[in-house]
Amino acid sequence: MPTNNQRLISHEALQQDHEALLNAARARLRLAGDMPGATVAQQLELLDRLAEFELGRFLLANRGLNAEWTHRMVTYAPDDGTAAAMTALERRVVEQLPAVLATRERFGVFRQQLQGVLKPGMRLASVPSGWMGELLLLDYAAAPDVSLVGVDLDQTALDGALALAEQQGLAERLTLLRQDAWSTEWSTKVDVLASNGLNIYEPDDERVTALYRSFHEALRPGGTLVTSFLTPPPTLSPESPWKMAELDPAALALQFLLFVRIIEVKWSAFRTHAQTRAQLEQAGFVDIRFIDDRASMFPTVVARKPD
């Protein structure tokens, strides 16, 4: 099990009493009172609807996503047959909320960028690994001799990555390490390192810069980092890059009500492009370039370790 210094910051590892969580949330919402656009009664009704489906219950209990739910969210397709069994609110969450759409778009950008740098003989890593979809779902036809490394503190994430690797016929190329992202020991450096979903849970800027330094250490000279970050909304920063014309106001309002008011999600460590560039430069990276999603909510950033 992770120690106190090696904790899962995105979700809880233990089961929690669902009814107790709901009662605590109800009490908190009643105490907070009405908000613009939603009375307490409406908030409580939405809480009950959220508790009707598995994803909603997981978010209420964990205030974040684990590897499985992240993979399911980024690989979801409305025509894959799963939507028919969803509640109306669940479909709105996975198909309309701007943060979810940006996350799915970010996953596509990652795969595009990683496919573009892929060469025979490379060693690629994912930290934290999650289920490693950004690497395991690539086309390796032109690079059959690559090796893959997944690092995660959550054993269930590593188990999921192994299962997906077996499904994709890549298990023999895969090495999995249950280690902390900040202190991973790299006996063999990697050519490419992909990282998503850790810095958005870490509010300490120095810790995030230290994380980027650990990635820099993991890479061979000339190696490539592909990572991402959440940008602040306009309500929190005048430097927000959000393209409001690309966002559905009703979906954005529902997202605020669900994620901020009711769930109080933990992925709230927002940073601007300038902050992220400065952190990566402090960690030693060069040739930093940004690839925004449509609304500039969840940009991808590609950087290089100097030769």
Side-chain angles (χ1 to χ4, degrees), residues 16-70:
Q16 301 180 56
D17 184 271
H18 177 64
E19 195 58 38
L21 285 168
L22 277 180
N23 287 335
R26 292 185 183 109
R28 173 170 50 80
L29 292 173
R30 291 191 183 101
L31 183 63
D34 296 342
M35 61 174 288
T39 65
V40 168
Q42 290 171 324
Q43 295 173 54
L44 292 173
E45 180 184 359
L46 197 55
L47 171 64
D48 289 338
R49 288 168 56 197
L50 195 62
E52 291 174 353
F53 56 93
E54 188 182 359
L55 171 60
R57 291 189 293 272
F58 188 92
L59 285 169
L60 285 169
N62 295 276
R63 298 167 53 217
L65 294 174
N66 64 0
E68 178 180 0
W69 277 114
T70 298

Side-chain angles (χ1 to χ4, degrees), residues 46-211:
L46 197 55
L47 171 64
D48 289 338
R49 288 168 56 197
L50 195 62
E52 291 174 353
F53 56 93
E54 188 182 359
L55 171 60
R57 291 189 293 272
F58 188 92
L59 285 169
L60 285 169
N62 295 276
R63 298 167 53 217
L65 294 174
N66 64 0
E68 178 180 0
W69 277 114
T70 298
H71 183 79
R72 289 169 67 172
M73 296 281 271
V74 297
T75 58
Y76 171 80
D79 57 356
D80 67 1
T82 60
M86 291 181 175
T87 69
L89 180 59
E90 184 175 13
R91 287 200 65 168
R92 290 195 70 186
V93 168
V94 300
E95 295 181 5
Q96 296 180 20
L97 295 194
V100 177
L101 297 180
T103 299
R104 196 169 298 133
E105 189 177 351
R106 189 278 318 156
F107 180 70
V109 173
F110 260 48
R111 291 182 61 191
Q112 181 186 53
Q113 294 300 309
L114 291 165
Q115 191 73 57
V117 299
L118 185 62
K119 294 179 181 178
M122 274 188 165
R123 183 174 175 84
L124 298 90
S126 180
V127 188
S129 70
W131 280 19
M132 290 184 70
E134 74 279 4
L135 291 181
L136 293 174
L137 299 180
L138 296 180
D139 181 358
Y140 290 101
D145 56 347
V146 301
S147 58
L148 306 172
V149 182
V151 177
D152 209 298
L153 201 54
D154 184 356
Q155 184 59 50
T156 62
L158 298 174
D159 294 343
L162 179 57
L164 184 59
E166 290 172 342
Q167 178 183 310
Q168 296 298 111
L170 296 169
E172 292 185 358
R173 307 187 200 181
L174 180 63
T175 299
L176 295 172
L177 304 173
R178 190 183 186 193
Q179 294 185 16
D180 181 76
W182 277 268
S183 55
T184 302
E185 297 180 3
W186 297 91
S187 57
T188 304
K189 300 299 179 71
V190 300
D191 300 285
V192 179
L193 191 150
S195 179
N196 172 71
L198 194 54
N199 56 7
I200 66 176
Y201 289 97
E202 180 51 71
D204 188 323
D205 286 333
E206 291 186 4
R207 284 263 297 165
V208 171
T209 301
L211 180 66

Side-chain angles (χ1 to χ4, degrees), residues 2-3 6-13 152-155 266:
T3 66
Q6 294 180 313
R7 60 187 177 83
L8 303 177
I9 62 175
S10 60
H11 61 283
E12 300 293 335
D152 209 298
L153 201 54
D154 184 356
Q155 184 59 50
K266 295 188 288 188

